[in-house]
Amino acid sequence: MLTAGIDIGVENVKAVILKDGAIVGRGKGRSGGVGRNAAAEAALAGALQEAGAASADLSGTVATGKGKYDLLFADKQVTEATAAARAAKHLYPDATCVMSLGADETLVLTFNAKDKIGQAVLNEKCAAGLGSFLRKMAMLLELTPDEMSALPPVAPGGATVNDGCVVFAELDALSLLNQSVSSREIASALTDAAAIRACTVLNDITIPMLDCVVLLGGLTRNHAFVQALQTRSGVDFTIPSEAEYAGALGAALVASDH
């Protein structure tokens, strides 16, 4: 049986084709704003091509992400928390907590004794959009995603930016540029500030379940950010190879359930 899952966020869309619990096709693209339905169709077509299948072969298609209700062809929609939890438990049955980091949202959830979602918390407004924020700052500093990912940790006594608000952090970055501080040093400071903001969401969990914390989302590709997050939180995260596609994977798993 083949099922499809589509995770359509504010910036990117990811699609996966699932067969017997394994991903056999992947597709990715920009979400397209008002053109989200067409963007999702293109990502799904790419995933089907990789899987060597056609849309008629699909038993079901489930959508998740901020643009899930914009898709005209999906059979069902599920929340981002449901998709993240489903993917994490599929990949790591012993998972006790999930942290999902995307362009627009920071989500943390825990599992109860019955492996159901026990508690789920979303970012406050100043921890929203961390992925988009770092991408914007990379453009401002003229650094590529690979260069941002390879940044060193913040040096003792080095540049710092506001870690309470991304707007003030950007203003601090512009001030540092005017002081001729290097782009890489500023980028390291911004990355550390973003990690601190992400930690505030993790700290909102009232009963920490940190035995096995699975880290999901597109920001997992930014190794400098992940390192800063681990240092600031003290958590040794488990990161699956399919972390970026976890939302789509969770949606496809829900489709297979039905």
Side-chain angles (χ1 to χ4, degrees):
M1 179 176 68
L2 293 179
T3 58
I6 300 174
D7 179 9
I8 185 154
V10 297
E11 288 193 358
N12 299 303
V13 55
K14 281 85 67 178
V16 302
I17 305 300
L18 201 66
K19 180 179 181 181
D20 299 327
I23 295 177
V24 294
R26 302 166 187 77
K28 181 182 176 182
R30 301 292 287 176
S31 67
V34 294
R36 281 175 175 166
N37 191 74
E41 287 180 333
L44 179 59
L48 284 166
Q49 183 177 18
E50 184 177 294
S55 57
D57 300 324
L58 295 174
S59 298
T61 301
V62 171
T64 190
K66 285 294 185 289
K68 55 184 174 290
Y69 293 109
D70 293 334
L71 306 192
L72 305 178
F73 59 89
D75 301 309
K76 180 182 175 66
Q77 295 81 24
V78 295
T79 66
E80 293 87 313
T82 297
R86 193 73 171 81
K89 274 296 182 182
H90 176 75
L91 295 169
Y92 301 98
D94 293 332
T96 57
C97 181
V98 182
M99 187 172 194
S100 180
L101 296 153
D104 66 304
E105 184 176 88
T106 301
L107 165 71
V108 178
L109 60 88
T110 61
F111 295 103
N112 60 26
K114 296 182 179 180
D115 284 342
K116 302 297 183 181
I117 295 176
Q119 184 179 5
V121 294
L122 287 172
N123 48 251
E124 299 174 355
K125 61 182 179 180
C126 284
L130 291 180
S132 297
F133 167 70
L134 289 177
R135 181 182 62 81
K136 179 182 178 182
M137 291 298 96
M139 295 174 62
L140 174 69
L141 298 171
E142 299 182 344
L143 296 174
T144 67
D146 287 343
E147 288 172 327
M148 289 289 287
S149 182
L151 290 169
V154 172
T160 60
V161 299
N162 188 289
D163 57 32
C165 175
V166 294
V167 175
F168 292 145
E170 181 176 353
L171 292 174
D172 287 343
L174 291 172
S175 176
L176 290 168
L177 275 176
N178 290 332
Q179 298 171 43
S180 299
V181 177
S182 73
S183 294
R184 286 173 58 82
E185 185 176 351
I186 297 171
S188 290
L190 289 164
T191 299
D192 188 56
I196 292 172
R197 293 308 307 158
C199 285
T200 64
V201 187
L202 190 63
N203 292 338
D204 280 341
I205 293 292
T206 58
I207 304 177
M209 303 285 288
L210 305 180
D211 295 334
C212 179
V213 185
V214 181
L215 192 64
L216 305 174
L219 265 177
T220 57
R221 294 184 294 116
N222 186 328
H223 300 298
F225 174 80
V226 171
Q227 183 178 7
L229 182 63
Q230 291 187 148
T231 299
R232 289 294 184 176
S233 67
V235 175
D236 185 14
F237 294 99
T238 298
I239 307 175
S241 58
E242 302 293 353
E244 185 179 7
Y245 288 87
L249 169 60
L253 287 165
V254 172
S256 68
D257 293 340
H258 297 273

